Amino acid sequence: MHSVRVSVTDKCNFRCTYCMPAEGLTWLPRAEVLSFEEIARVVSVLAQMGVGEVRLTGGEPLVRRDLPVLVRALADTPGVVDLSLTTNGVLLDRLAGPLVRAGLQRLNVSLDSLSHVRFAEVTRRDALAAVLRGLAEAERYPELRPIKVNCVALRGFTEPEVPALAALARAKPYVVRFIEFMPLDADESWRDDQVLTGDEIRRLIEERWPLEELPAKPSSTSRRFRFRDGAGEIGFVNPVSEPFCSSCDRLRITADGQLRTCLFSRREWDLKAALRSGADDRDLAELIRTAVRHKELKHKINERGFVRASRSMSQIGG
Ligand code: SAM
């Protein structure tokens, strides 16, 4: 395992239709959420074990107060070689500077539409202008690269968005990536015919702009393409149509300190209980090793009898 995604909160200021119900979810009680010290301790143990890529996520990570303080602690942790953040971007215009100064290296911003009306339809928030301001602010820091823009691809919604998002990848220093819709929505309304595959989107883009595939790291979850005329990069994360489970090297830690070895896990390993009952670093490492030995072989979305994960995306940390 090389990479860990750490959820710093289960709360979010958006209500994306494919993720959370309009009324939100029952949030974790404050006392259940790991403190910055607890997160830094677990990350330090993981980093000593070779898990040096750390991504902060949520919920919406930027709603966690003083997030740059945590970023600074993680950036200073020996063995952490790559520190990134996934955000909806709505608070980024204020926080990009402090995060970069604290040591953030890479950024993913979720963006499903470049039309104000359709953005509000999918996120249930009229916030496209703020997200674009956040992206523009992030772009001012050349040390924060790459900037990836992630769009969840929904059949019947995303097709008309594709040309504008592809044009964004051509005009801006952003790698725009399309991510297949997964059965992780809290409403449990996912159906396989709502998945717009990466292949279908690629064909839509190639009607206008030919693409050429780029080599990817073996552990990469995305297929990378560049525009043949050299103007920018596009990616496809295809967990449903082209599962990449066999090369998955990720762990996840929920905001309440549960270690998960797959997005679709039904079993969690209680790091918080260990942390709060006096476990030393060796005990924590042993718990992590045991979890990794039980890592799922694959997610089985496409198999009959697929059983949904024990929590939804925002509660796990996407
Ligand atoms: N709030 C942050 C954000 O918007 O990026 C971080 C957490 S969010 C759960 C992480 C990513 O998961 C976002 O890009 C979001 O669009 C994606 N996501 C949420 N539900 C999904 C689903 N059912 N299928 C695929 N991606 C999903």
Side-chain angles (χ1 to χ4, degrees), residues 261-297:
T261 47
C262 174
L263 263 177
F264 294 92
S265 290
R266 301 199 36 89
R267 177 171 190 181
E268 300 181 336
W269 304 82
D270 198 347
L271 285 171
K272 182 183 65 192
L275 281 164
R276 294 185 181 178
S277 60
D280 65 18
D281 286 1
R282 279 223 310 258
D283 299 331
L284 291 175
E286 193 44 44
L287 179 56
I288 293 164
R289 257 186 233 105
T290 306
V292 169
R293 277 199 290 274
H294 288 82
K295 185 169 165 66
E296 295 75 356
L297 291 177

Side-chain angles (χ1 to χ4, degrees), residues 5 9 11-14 16-20 56-62 85-89 108-112 150-154 179-186 190 239 263 308 312-318:
R5 300 196 153 209
T9 179
K11 292 184 185 155
C12 190
N13 42 12
F14 281 13
C16 300
T17 52
Y18 51 75
C19 189
M20 242 195 230
L56 299 178
T57 183
E60 170 47 42
L62 300 190
L85 172 83
T86 298
T87 173
N88 62 30
N108 286 8
V109 177
S110 304
L111 179 56
D112 298 321
N150 291 331
C151 167
V152 176
L154 305 166
I179 301 177
E180 289 174 352
F181 179 30
M182 291 179 275
L184 289 163
D185 53 319
W190 180 93
L263 263 177
R308 291 179 59 106
S312 63
M313 188 66 130
S314 66
Q315 298 167 319
I316 297 169

Side-chain angles (χ1 to χ4, degrees), residues 36 62 64-73 95 98-99 102-103:
F36 285 172
L62 300 190
R64 177 90 187 241
R65 191 183 300 188
D66 297 329
L67 190 70
V69 174
L70 176 65
V71 168
R72 162 71 61 206
L95 283 165
L99 288 167

Side-chain angles (χ1 to χ4, degrees), residues 130-149:
V131 174
L132 295 177
R133 272 199 307 278
L135 270 168
E137 176 62 17
E139 203 183 316
R140 291 182 50 226
Y141 301 92
E143 54 278 55
L144 192 62
R145 293 290 186 278
I147 296 175
K148 293 182 184 165
V149 169

Side-chain angles (χ1 to χ4, degrees), residues 152-159 179-183 189-201 237-242 301-302:
V152 176
L154 305 166
R155 185 178 303 286
F157 179 87
T158 304
E159 294 89 334
I179 301 177
E180 289 174 352
F181 179 30
M182 291 179 275
S189 64
W190 180 93
R191 287 195 325 261
D192 59 359
D193 60 4
Q194 295 170 311
V195 179
L196 179 64
T197 66
D199 231 32
E200 290 172 273
I201 296 180
V237 183
N238 302 338
V240 182
S241 68
E242 292 182 79
I301 295 175
N302 301 312

